[in-house]
């Protein structure tokens, strides 16, 4: 069931794709911790309250910090406002995009959709394309050749991972992608997960995004000012670091080609500010196992099932320190991965899905 | 000619909930709406293979547990990505405290 000793092909229409389908790794049945239906029903319940509260705080902080930028532009006092605005725009939009894409943040559909579209724009993500790519990510989490959202491939490109914190690479990828899509072209990979009847919507969405960027550029020229661009578009560069810092930890260094989220996904305890920015996605094993549970109920879900999951990393620092030697080893032995131990109360991993021979890497 | 088969007792389903019913090699989802009406659809989502009985009923919507795709379980209508294909629905009637579906 694994791709041991074989080079990984991360294209979504290549050799690894064929093998994943052939071996039954694609669209497989995944492990779930047992949770009684009654409890799960309670955890899945939707309400508008928490997300309305958080969205008001989020939007107020965005508008407030933007006002600070405009007001203090030209002085050094603008820096803290750029810092706050950048993170709100370039990082916290990722968790809003994510939760609203799942439709779990709000109970009311249009509220999910409205925040989803705003956040997609901030992230330079085509809202149609990414809805489908994320569905695939949930079906085939870190299955090579199937998952369109594998952030760090093997062997890991550490320079690329470091540069991701600056947003440069993502910006260089996202903007040309939107331009290409606005001209009506979808790549073969994109076509592999966007159904035909949805493709024209992806093109229309890309055109809307480009229209807003064009308007912003016109404003900047007309006003002879950088401010419009600093507020729209560029935060994707200078504010993206928090999204990368938290997001990389979701799966980095863990197993691939397995069907148990306890093996390929990580839960990390985080400080309350990061949890607000990240909307509790630090409970990532829990989210992948039960994507129906809204972000505000994830801490409760965590308490309920933690006996069946590997011990969470106590901090981001701890998680990065733990994974760093694994990444270094993967440079040489790409089959090596971090296998996190289960507590004695957990149901064991199913061996047949993660029998990678790591003896060479251990030498 | 489609047959009426007994799916479950009325009390087997909580209000605003869904249960699974398997019959003749097929799988169905049987719903009890908040206003105490009963409905039945195909059990599996039309997007990928996930059983809707593990999903969440909200008003007249069933949300799929896998990618949160939504259907109106009364009409079977798919309510948007990632579900694009409608769900088959089946007539339901209540007889002596039993939920009967026509399949
Ligand atoms: S399987 Fe139901 S929405 Fe994907």
């Amino acid at each position: 069931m694994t791709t041991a000793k074989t080079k990984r092909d991360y294209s979504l229409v290549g050799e690894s794709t064929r093998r994943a389908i052939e071996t039954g790794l694609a669209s497989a049945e995944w492990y779930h911790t047992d949770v009684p239906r009654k409890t799960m029903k309670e955890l899945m319940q939707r309400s508008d309250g928490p997300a309305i509260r958080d969205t008001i705080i989020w939007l107020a902080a965005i508008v407030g910090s933007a006002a600070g930028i405009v007001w203090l532009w030209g002085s050094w006092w603008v820096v803290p406002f750029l810092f706050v605005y950048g993170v709100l725009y370039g990082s916290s939009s990722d968790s809003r995009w994510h939760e609203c894409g799942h439709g779990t943040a709000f109970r009311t559909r249009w509220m999910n959709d409205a925040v989803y579209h705003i956040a997609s724009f901030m992230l330079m993500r085509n809202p149609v394309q990414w809805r489908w790519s994320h569905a695939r990510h949930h079906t085939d989490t870190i299955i090579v050749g199937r998952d369109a959202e594998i952030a760090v491939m093997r062997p890991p490109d550490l320079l690329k991972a470091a540069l991701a914190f600056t947003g440069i690479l993502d910006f260089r990828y996202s903007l040309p992608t939107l331009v290409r899509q606005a001209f009506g072209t979808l790549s073969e990979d994109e076509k592999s997960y966007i159904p035909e009847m949805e493709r024209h919507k992806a093109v229309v969405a890309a055109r809307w995004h480009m229209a807003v960027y064009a308007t912003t550029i016109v404003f900047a020229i007309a006003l002879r000012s950088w401010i419009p661009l600093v507020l729209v578009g560029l935060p994707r560069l200078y504010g993206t670091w928090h999204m990368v810092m938290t997001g990389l930890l979701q799966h980095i260094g863990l197993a691939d080609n397995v069907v148990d989220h306890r093996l390929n996904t990580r839960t990390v305890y985080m400080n309350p500010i990061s949890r607000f920015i990240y909307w509790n996605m630090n409970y990532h094993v829990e989210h992948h196992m039960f994507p129906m549970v809204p972000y505000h109920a994830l801490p409760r879900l965590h308490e309920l099932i933690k006996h069946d999951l590997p011990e969470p990393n106590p901090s981001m620092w701890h998680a990065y320190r733990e994974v760093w030697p694994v990444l270094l080893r993967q440079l040489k032995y790409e089959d090596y991965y971090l296998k996190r131990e289960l507590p004695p109360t957990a149901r064991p991993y199913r061996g047949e899905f993660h029998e990678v021979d790591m003896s060479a890497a251990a030498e | 000619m489609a047959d009426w088969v007994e799916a479950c007792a009325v009390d087997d389903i909580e209000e605003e909930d869904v249960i699974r019913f398997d019959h003749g090699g097929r799988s169905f989802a049987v719903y009890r709406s908040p206003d105490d009406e009963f409905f039945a659809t195909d059990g599996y989502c039309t997007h990928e293979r996930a059983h809707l009985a593990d999903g969440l009923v909200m008003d007249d919507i069933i949300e799929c547990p896998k990618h949160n795709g939504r259907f109106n379980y009364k009409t079977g209508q798919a309510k948007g990505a990632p579900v694009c294909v409608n769900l088959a629905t089946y007539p339901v009637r209540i007889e002596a405290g039993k939920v009967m579906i026509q399949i």
Side-chain angles (χ1 to χ4, degrees):
Chain A
M1 285 301 229
T2 69
T3 56
K5 309 283 183 258
T6 314
K7 272 258 161 267
R8 287 160 174 76
D9 168 7
Y10 285 92
S11 114
L12 303 184
V13 288
E15 181 52 26
S16 297
T17 313
R18 190 189 59 72
R19 210 169 327 118
I21 293 169
E22 229 173 64
T23 57
L25 264 177
S27 306
E29 202 61 55
W30 285 67
Y31 175 80
H32 289 97
T33 302
D34 286 334
V35 178
R37 168 80 187 161
K38 202 173 161 50
T39 313
M40 186 44 65
K41 225 180 105 182
E42 278 166 26
L43 286 164
M44 290 190 295
Q45 284 313 312
R46 305 297 153 72
S47 60
D48 288 331
I52 288 179
R53 177 202 62 209
D54 287 350
T55 304
I56 289 173
I57 296 171
W58 183 58
L59 292 175
I62 287 177
V63 172
S65 50
I69 291 170
V70 174
W71 188 257
L72 295 164
W73 188 250
S75 95
W76 283 105
W77 291 108
V78 79
V79 172
F81 290 92
L82 285 171
F83 180 80
V84 171
Y85 183 82
V87 168
L88 291 168
Y89 185 117
S91 287
S92 62
S93 49
D94 179 55
S95 56
R96 274 65 186 169
W97 163 82
H98 178 264
E99 284 300 284
C100 295
H102 277 285
T104 49
F106 301 88
R107 182 182 170 94
T108 308
R109 182 83 189 237
W110 72 260
M111 294 186 191
N112 280 314
D113 288 344
V115 175
Y116 179 76
H117 281 281
I118 293 168
S120 298
F121 175 77
M122 289 170 160
L123 290 161
M124 292 186 176
R125 285 181 189 162
N126 186 315
V128 179
Q129 172 203 344
W130 278 77
R131 201 186 278 281
W132 288 100
S133 80
H134 199 64
R136 177 67 76 80
H137 175 61
H138 272 268
T139 303
D140 295 322
T141 312
I142 320 296
I143 302 291
V144 178
R146 292 285 295 174
D147 187 350
E149 296 181 6
I150 300 181
V152 179
M153 299 171 181
R154 296 198 214 167
D157 186 335
L158 297 181
L159 180 66
K160 211 168 144 187
L163 279 175
F165 284 81
T166 68
I168 288 172
L169 297 180
D170 215 17
F171 193 94
R172 260 197 55 207
Y173 163 79
S174 303
L175 203 56
T177 299
L178 281 170
V179 173
R180 167 173 57 72
Q181 292 170 342
F183 279 102
T185 310
L186 298 183
S187 71
E188 287 308 310
D189 274 7
E190 288 158 4
K191 284 185 199 163
S192 78
Y193 56 81
I194 307 174
E196 205 161 347
M197 60 177 106
E198 290 274 301
R199 289 179 194 159
H200 73 282
K201 292 187 195 165
V203 172
V204 172
R207 287 178 183 160
W208 275 108
H209 283 206
M210 294 322 297
V212 179
Y213 290 123
T215 310
T216 307
I217 292 168
V218 168
F219 261 106
I221 293 169
L223 297 171
R224 293 171 194 270
S225 166
W226 283 98
I227 293 178
L229 293 168
V230 167
L231 294 179
V232 178
L234 290 182
R236 188 69 183 79
L237 286 173
Y238 66 83
T240 215
W241 61 271
H242 190 281
M243 168 176 83
V244 177
M245 177 177 75
T246 51
L248 278 186
L249 288 176
Q250 293 174 355
H251 308 286
I252 192 173
L254 300 176
D256 59 12
N257 296 336
V258 293
V259 292
D260 187 335
H261 292 112
R262 299 175 304 173
L263 275 166
N264 66 10
T265 307
R266 184 187 273 109
T267 286
V268 183
Y269 290 143
M270 290 181 188
N271 66 75
I273 295 175
S274 286
R275 275 179 46 198
F276 175 80
I277 294 168
Y278 198 26
W279 255 9
N280 282 344
M281 275 305 115
N282 53 309
Y283 297 107
H284 214 65
V285 182
E286 293 81 350
H287 165 68
H288 265 280
M289 251 192 214
F290 300 105
M292 299 279 287
V293 175
Y295 74 96
H296 49 80
L298 285 176
R300 271 191 291 146
L301 175 62
H302 171 67
E303 286 305 318
L304 196 76
I305 66 171
K306 67 180 182 191
H307 65 278
D308 199 35
L309 312 183
E311 180 93 357
N313 290 99
S315 66
M316 286 185 262
W317 175 243
H318 178 276
Y320 275 111
R321 266 199 8 214
E322 182 186 53
V323 80
W324 179 247
V326 176
L327 298 177
L328 293 182
R329 199 166 280 188
Q330 281 183 347
L331 291 174
K332 212 162 167 195
Y333 305 102
E334 65 174 74
D335 289 331
Y336 188 74
Y337 67 92
L338 174 62
K339 187 174 162 197
R340 308 200 63 241
E341 291 308 320
L342 289 171
T345 46
R347 289 232 303 268
Y349 295 129
R350 289 192 295 176
E352 70 271 27
F353 290 116
H354 56 90
E355 274 166 1
V356 176
D357 178 11
M358 296 202 287
S359 51
E363 278 162 15
Chain B
M1 181 67 190
D3 292 330
W4 285 95
V5 294
E6 180 186 325
C8 58
V10 163
D11 292 340
D12 289 344
I13 319 179
E14 284 182 25
E15 222 168 77
E16 202 169 31
D17 204 3
V18 53
I19 63 166
R20 175 178 179 145
F21 169 59
D22 294 334
H23 180 80
R26 295 166 66 192
S27 195
F28 304 89
V30 187
Y31 307 82
R32 184 171 184 169
S33 73
D35 36 19
D36 215 15
E37 287 181 293
F38 291 81
F39 298 87
T41 68
D42 269 343
Y44 284 98
C45 182
T46 59
H47 175 222
E48 287 178 11
R49 198 172 164 77
H51 206 288
L52 296 170
D54 295 322
L56 178 66
V57 177
M58 288 177 287
D59 303 325
D60 50 5
I61 295 293
I62 174 70
E63 191 174 294
C64 173
K66 198 160 181 180
H67 308 109
N68 313 74
R70 292 178 175 199
F71 300 92
N72 181 322
Y73 59 82
K74 297 181 176 175
T75 62
Q77 190 197 8
K79 304 294 281 184
V83 291
C84 305
V85 178
N86 293 346
L87 201 55
T89 58
Y90 301 90
V92 173
R93 70 179 184 219
I94 305 300
E95 263 178 37
K98 305 285 180 204
V99 182
M100 311 291 293
I101 72 174
Q102 191 181 32
I103 51 182

